[in-house]
């Protein structure tokens, strides 16, 4: 969905209905996931449907997708600020004033309607926290570093479990959640606190209702239960689980420190609340959203300073340990890089075509020159009988060879150029350098080993891919 928002914004209208039913069944059936993922996708699908109905351009369609996501977050969690910055920071990733204004209007409208129906209450009831000693700030910073590590571990385990489920499962996909649900059910029988979203357990953990050892069990259990739910095909988000993991981590650290130095560390509740935002920041690398969501959950401005410090450290640690976030990891596994722009964002395999003609090494110069003339190409690739790349023959080289008196029946193997070509895993940014060094009007695309010819890049296809009206269609979505 994040890739769709960045690369066209077109989400089928039926996604909103299907996603709402799937997420309701998954969470109602005990899936240990959050509800914000489906809510964001439902809101985004509604925004996309509206945009396609009124036929707006792709840029405005992306904004409507973000507006729908912001409205979904704001209405469900009674967090209008967090809804705005969730959309700007994680979906649009662009803080221009016009876009910001439209997203704000969507979030405000959704919040006003939701509050008129459900009242002005937060979806979690967290106790107020106090920072009693300046020394606590040092401990909060250390907690932020630890939370950043836990956020990265959460992301890694999530996709390791998903990979394991993919590797093990050999049946039809529609049956996978049912079979996997048996394994998840056994896990929930052993640790029933993992059932569903887990907000009551979270609130009890923040309030000091569990011992340190059991808090750590709940921390590990939530990571595994959430990963397993998604791995077997369940529909849900990772925002609420990251808050749960952070709450268990912070409460365990706070209780441990309180036993060691109660006069300096202060209340364990403060550590639980700080760690909630910090683990989310470590997993999603969205520090502004993390700060605002925790402020809106507590309504306590007193948490801002320690929260900002811990979240900044958690984000830095996460960035140092991993290039991916819990949201971008799946997209990169599908070949979508949200951080890439322009030519670097377009894979050569997305725009390559078949070569206009292929020559064998034994082709005569006379025949090669005629083929170059008929195809209108500046150069043609030469491959052997197995498709192995041998080089290229350009019209310039063929003409010069014939003009210099080389026999017309001489093989083209005698006049080959050897451009190294572009590998199929590379981007157009890397292909542009090959064009600069090429004498013809195209370059070969080779396999990962550089041995087999798999396609052809011409000036025309590259220019079409880089033009604003055409290039966006070559970027893959999710």
């Amino acid at each position: 969905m994040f890739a769709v928002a960045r690369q066209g914004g077109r989400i089928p209208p039926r996604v909103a209905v299907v996603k709402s039913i799937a997420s309701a069944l998954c969470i109602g059936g005990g899936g240990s996931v959050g509800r914000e993922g489906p809510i964001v996708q439902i809101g985004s699908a509604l925004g996309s449907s509206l945009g396609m109905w009124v036929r707006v351009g792709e840029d405005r369609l992306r904004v409507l997708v973000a507006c729908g996501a912001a409205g979904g977050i704001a209405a469900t969690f009674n967090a209008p600020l967090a809804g705005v910055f969730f959309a700007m920071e994680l979906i649009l990733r662009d803080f221009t004033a016009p876009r910001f204004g439209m997203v704000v209007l969507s979030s405000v409208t959704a919040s006003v309607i939701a509050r008129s129906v459900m009242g002005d209450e937060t979806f979690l009831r967290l106790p107020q926290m106090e920072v009693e000693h300046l020394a606590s700030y040092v401990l909060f910073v250390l907690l932020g570093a630890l939370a950043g590590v836990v956020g990265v571990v959460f992301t890694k385990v999530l996709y390791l479990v998903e990979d394991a489920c993919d590797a093990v499962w050999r049946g039809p996909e529609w049956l996978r959640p049912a079979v996997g649900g048996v394994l998840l059910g056994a896990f929930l029988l052993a640790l029933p606190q993992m059932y569903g979203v887990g907000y009551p357990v979270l609130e009890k953990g923040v309030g000091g209702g569990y011992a340190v050892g059991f808090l750590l069990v709940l921390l590990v259990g939530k990571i595994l239960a959430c990963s397993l739910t998604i791995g077997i095909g369940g529909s849900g988000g990772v925002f609420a689980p990251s808050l749960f993991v952070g709450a268990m981590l912070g409460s365990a650290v706070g209780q441990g420190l309180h036993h060691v130095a109660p006069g300096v560390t202060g209340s364990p509740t403060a550590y639980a609340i700080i760690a909630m935002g910090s683990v989310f920041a470590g997993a999603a690398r969205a520090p502004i959203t993390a700060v605002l969501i925790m402020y809106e959950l507590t309504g306590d401005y007193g948490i801002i300073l320690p929260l900002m410090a811990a979240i900044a450290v958690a984000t830095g640690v996460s960035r140092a340990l991993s290039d991916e976030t819990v949201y971008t990891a799946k997209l990169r596994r599908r070949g979508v890089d949200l951080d890439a722009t322009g030519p670097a964002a377009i894979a050569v395999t997305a725009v390559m075509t078949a070569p206009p003609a292929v020559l064998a090494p034994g082709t005569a110069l006379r025949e090669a020159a005629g083929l170059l003339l008929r195809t209108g190409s500046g150069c043609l690739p030469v491959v052997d009988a197995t498709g192995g790349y041998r080089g290229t023959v350009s019209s310039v080289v063929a003409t010069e060879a014939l003009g210099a008196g080389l026999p017309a029946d001489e093989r083209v193997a005698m006049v080959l150029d050897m451009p190294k070509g572009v590998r199929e895993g590379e981007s157009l940014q890397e292909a542009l350098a090959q064009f600069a060094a090429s004498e013809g009007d195209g370059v070969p695309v080779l396999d990962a080993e550089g041995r087999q010819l798999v396609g052809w890049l011409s000036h025309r296809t590259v220019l079409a891919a880089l033009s604003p009206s055409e290039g966006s269609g070559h970027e893959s979505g999710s």
Side-chain angles (χ1 to χ4, degrees), residues 357-364 367-369 371-372 380-384 392-393 412:
V358 176
L359 302 175
T363 303
E367 183 181 349
L371 197 55
L372 285 165
L380 294 175
V382 177
V383 298
D384 58 26
T392 62
V393 173
V412 295

Side-chain angles (χ1 to χ4, degrees), residues 164-465:
C165 293
D166 290 339
V168 171
W169 183 249
R170 290 292 182 269
E173 284 301 310
W174 60 266
L175 189 59
R176 177 167 165 172
V179 176
V182 176
L183 180 60
L184 179 62
F187 188 92
L188 295 178
L189 285 175
L191 195 61
Q193 289 81 3
M194 297 297 101
Y195 187 91
V197 181
Y199 290 145
V201 179
L202 187 154
E203 293 175 0
K204 187 175 180 180
V206 172
Y210 300 117
V212 172
F214 192 61
L215 287 169
L216 296 178
V217 171
L218 293 176
L219 185 157
V220 175
K222 191 64 174 182
I223 293 176
L224 294 177
C226 176
S227 302
L228 182 59
T229 301
I230 295 177
I232 64 175
S235 178
V238 295
F239 170 67
S242 68
L243 294 184
F244 186 101
V245 170
M248 300 305 110
L249 172 68
S251 187
V253 171
Q255 289 187 37
L257 292 174
H258 188 71
H259 286 302
V260 174
V264 177
T265 56
S267 170
T269 299
Y271 294 84
I273 294 175
I274 296 296
M276 287 172 66
S278 299
V279 170
F280 172 70
R285 212 168 297 153
I288 301 176
T289 303
V291 171
L292 291 175
I293 191 67
M294 293 312 302
Y295 169 66
E296 290 187 297
L297 287 179
T298 61
D300 182 10
Y301 189 76
I303 73 169
I304 290 296
L305 293 181
L307 186 65
M308 290 173 63
I311 285 177
V313 172
T315 304
V317 169
S318 173
R319 189 177 298 276
L321 294 178
S322 175
D323 293 332
E324 299 175 339
T325 73
V326 72
Y327 293 120
T328 62
K330 182 179 289 291
L331 299 178
R332 288 190 177 181
R333 290 148 68 95
R334 296 178 180 178
V336 180
D337 187 357
L338 296 186
D339 294 323
T341 58
I346 306 174
V348 294
T349 51
V351 297
M352 71 181 187
T353 62
V358 176
L359 302 175
T363 303
L365 268 177
R366 180 191 303 105
E367 183 181 349
L371 197 55
L372 285 165
L373 182 62
R374 288 195 299 274
T375 60
S377 301
C379 67
L380 294 175
V382 177
V383 298
D384 58 26
T386 63
Y389 173 65
R390 299 289 298 275
T392 62
V393 173
S394 69
S395 56
V396 173
V397 171
T399 302
E400 289 178 349
L402 292 173
L406 199 66
D409 58 354
E410 184 64 73
R411 298 178 303 161
V412 295
M414 302 298 296
V415 293
L416 287 181
D417 292 325
M418 291 299 296
K420 64 178 184 179
V422 183
R423 304 295 174 91
E424 59 182 348
E426 295 179 343
S427 68
L428 281 188
Q429 182 69 51
E430 296 160 303
L432 292 178
Q434 291 296 315
F435 273 109
S438 174
E439 293 184 358
D441 61 353
V443 295
V445 180
L446 310 177
D447 62 9
E449 289 75 29
R451 298 174 181 173
Q452 299 289 117
L453 181 72
V454 297
W456 189 255
L457 279 182
S458 67
H459 288 83
R460 179 174 296 178
T461 57
V462 170
L463 289 174

